[in-house]
Amino acid sequence: MLIEQEIFKKININAFQNDLIAWFKNEQRDLPWRKDQDPYKVWVSEIMLQQTRVDTVIPYFNRFIDWFPTIDDLAEADEDKVLKAWEGLGYYSRVRNLQSAVKEVREKYNGEVPSTPKEIAELKGVGPYTAGAILSIAYGIPEPAVDGNVMRVLSRILSIWEDIAKPSSRKVFEQAVRELISHEDPSSFNQALMELGALVCTPTSPSCLLCPVREHCHAFFEGVQNELPVKTKKTKTRDVQLTAAIITDTTGKFLIHKRPANGLLANLWEFPTVEIHHPMQIDREQIVTLFNKTLDLDIELEQIIGQIDHVFSHLVWNMKVYTGTITAKFQETNEWKLVSFEEMKEYAFPVPYQKMFKLYQSI
DNA sequence: TAATCGTGGTG
DNA sequence: TCACCAAGATT
């Protein structure tokens, strides 16, 4: 790669490290996962923080560590309870991978989180960023931990015009970190880059006048901090038409269904739902038939109580919500359960179904 | 590589 | 209202 030669010329590495780390030690936020360096807690926090804001993560992290204080606690827990701990956080495969990886750590590494790049990167759900974050923060090993913050900050400081939306450009920034990282305190260095990105070197209108490494910043020198980083975008969401129903039996219990183990919202619970492919040419009777045939049920729909629109990363759900009743003897299975209001609280429901139940309660 | 995988905050 | 965003990984 040709870029390293330039990096050495542009930056006084020692002064940059010192200014950055000194700022971090003074200004870092007091966060629950910074109270110690327990590799398990660092790991949990890094998984939670993937694509998720710090303020959102804090209460989830505290409750998760309360429920599962150690690797053994998480490894032995029921998946339904683990998912319940993650309910509302999103990207649920993160926590299923985490539990799977924790079990592997217990079996292969005697319960100790491995401390080599190769071994840690093999764990489920641990990609290049998370591997570097755990190695540097928990073990003090000078490995790059390149997330969106780091790419933004370094694209400005080093004036790197790579498109950070391209997966291939991450390695450019990893190489940059390898040239710049403090070997005396890699933990503070990596965290400082991210903290700077979160607090000062923000995506829009960065606070350059407050920046501790302003004098090292090529973009600030050239006045192009608002043009960096280069990031192409593409977002096309598709609409999905669904009909879902709150179905009760004669005792007032609710019919719930466990979603498939793969794909969207895997292994979470939902109220019975069918997809409507051609909403213009379907009547109520056909919807009932669709429920009974698709879901192998025997139910009757009562009335529409409203509509829930929910936006995911790559699609939008338009859910028509009905109430309904069970019209025949019902047999519980692993995927189908009839639960009381109190029992329902033990099951993890994704947000659209939480919205749906609130709608039901409001009528 | 591009698509998939959630949610809540923000300008 | 809506595009964009936030400590990415997997397929």
Side-chain angles (χ1 to χ4, degrees):
Chain A
M1 249 179 266
L2 296 174
I3 188 167
E4 297 84 324
Q5 301 282 347
E6 273 185 76
I7 292 171
F8 277 111
K9 286 175 185 169
K10 284 177 181 169
I11 298 291
N12 181 332
I13 295 177
N14 258 320
F16 173 70
Q17 290 173 348
N18 289 339
D19 291 341
L20 180 66
I21 291 174
W23 171 83
F24 177 69
K25 290 184 183 265
N26 285 327
E27 304 294 335
Q28 65 171 298
R29 292 166 289 181
D30 186 13
L31 300 173
W33 46 89
R34 287 179 173 164
K35 287 191 286 194
D36 60 55
Q37 297 179 175
D38 177 357
Y40 167 66
K41 293 183 199 168
V42 172
W43 185 4
V44 170
S45 72
E46 292 302 339
I47 299 298
M48 282 191 174
L49 286 162
Q50 290 170 6
Q51 301 293 284
T52 311
R53 285 183 160 75
V54 164
D55 289 343
T56 302
V57 166
I58 290 172
Y60 280 92
F61 176 83
N62 287 330
R63 188 180 61 170
F64 198 91
I65 296 302
D66 183 39
W67 286 12
F68 316 111
T70 68
I71 283 180
D72 284 341
D73 295 315
L74 181 56
E76 293 168 5
D78 289 336
E79 192 195 75
D80 273 331
K81 182 170 181 181
V82 173
L83 284 171
K84 186 68 186 176
W86 212 264
E87 182 184 54
L89 249 193
Y91 289 143
Y92 299 95
S93 68
R94 288 185 293 176
V95 76
R96 297 198 302 132
N97 287 150
L98 176 61
Q99 190 185 28
S100 171
V102 150
K103 290 177 178 174
E104 187 181 345
V105 165
R106 209 165 61 150
E107 291 164 9
K108 285 179 64 175
Y109 303 108
N110 195 28
E112 299 286 325
V113 179
S115 58
T116 67
K118 174 171 168 47
E119 288 173 327
I120 203 163
E122 287 174 356
L123 298 171
K124 263 181 220 166
V126 178
Y129 163 75
T130 305
I134 297 172
L135 288 167
S136 60
I137 297 171
Y139 292 118
I141 296 170
E143 283 289 313
V146 174
D147 70 338
N149 285 311
V150 172
M151 287 196 284
R152 180 174 62 256
V153 169
L154 290 186
S155 75
R156 287 170 176 161
I157 290 174
L158 302 175
S159 189
I160 296 172
W161 294 81
E162 299 278 328
D163 178 3
I164 68 169
K166 291 172 58 180
S168 59
S169 59
R170 194 195 70 251
K171 65 180 185 298
V172 174
F173 292 92
E174 284 178 346
Q175 187 57 38
V177 172
R178 289 190 188 282
E179 311 288 346
L180 297 174
I181 192 169
S182 163
H183 286 246
E184 287 68 44
D185 194 350
S187 170
S188 293
F189 182 88
N190 278 343
Q191 292 188 76
L193 281 181
M194 294 187 277
E195 196 82 343
L196 190 70
L199 301 180
V200 177
C201 195
T202 49
T204 59
S205 59
S207 306
C208 297
L209 297 184
L210 300 176
C211 182
V213 292
R214 179 181 61 201
E215 67 179 88
H216 306 285
C217 184
H218 199 266
F220 179 71
F221 184 74
E222 294 182 346
V224 294
Q225 64 269 27
N226 291 315
E227 320 303 320
L228 288 168
V230 176
K231 187 178 185 180
T232 60
K233 57 191 141 220
K234 61 182 57 164
T235 54
K236 47 177 155 202
T237 63
R238 64 189 172 87
D239 283 25
V240 176
Q241 310 302 326
L242 301 174
T243 295
I246 306 280
I247 295 167
T248 50
D249 71 353
T250 53
T251 71
K253 288 192 170 187
F254 300 95
L255 184 60
I256 64 174
H257 174 245
K258 189 172 190 170
R259 294 176 58 85
N262 294 311
L264 185 68
L265 306 171
N267 279 4
L268 274 75
W269 291 79
E270 66 182 1
F271 300 108
T273 304
V274 293
E275 182 171 355
I276 310 295
H277 292 282
H278 303 290
M280 299 308 288
Q281 43 188 322
I282 189 166
D283 58 29
R284 175 210 181 82
E285 194 57 38
Q286 288 173 296
I287 294 175
V288 173
T289 303
L290 196 57
F291 262 93
N292 288 330
K293 193 175 171 186
T294 306
L295 305 179
D296 194 24
L297 289 173
D298 200 348
I299 62 102
E300 184 58 63
L301 297 181
E302 292 179 330
Q303 59 167 333
I304 292 192
I305 62 174
Q307 171 146 350
I308 300 291
D309 296 321
H310 187 78
V311 179
F312 294 94
S313 310
H314 59 294
L315 53 85
V316 179
W317 275 7
N318 305 123
M319 275 198 311
K320 298 241 184 294
V321 179
Y322 284 76
T323 57
T325 54
I326 294 186
T327 54
K329 175 73 175 170
F330 171 74
Q331 182 63 44
E332 276 202 357
T333 67
N334 286 335
E335 294 85 38
W336 290 96
K337 293 195 180 303
L338 215 36
V339 298
S340 68
F341 177 69
E342 285 301 319
E343 291 167 337
M344 203 162 61
K345 295 175 181 170
E346 303 298 316
Y347 295 83
F349 288 84
V351 168
Y353 291 101
Q354 295 176 21
K355 292 182 187 171
M356 178 174 162
F357 194 73
K358 282 184 183 173
L359 174 64
Y360 170 79
Q361 288 180 304
S362 73
I363 64 168

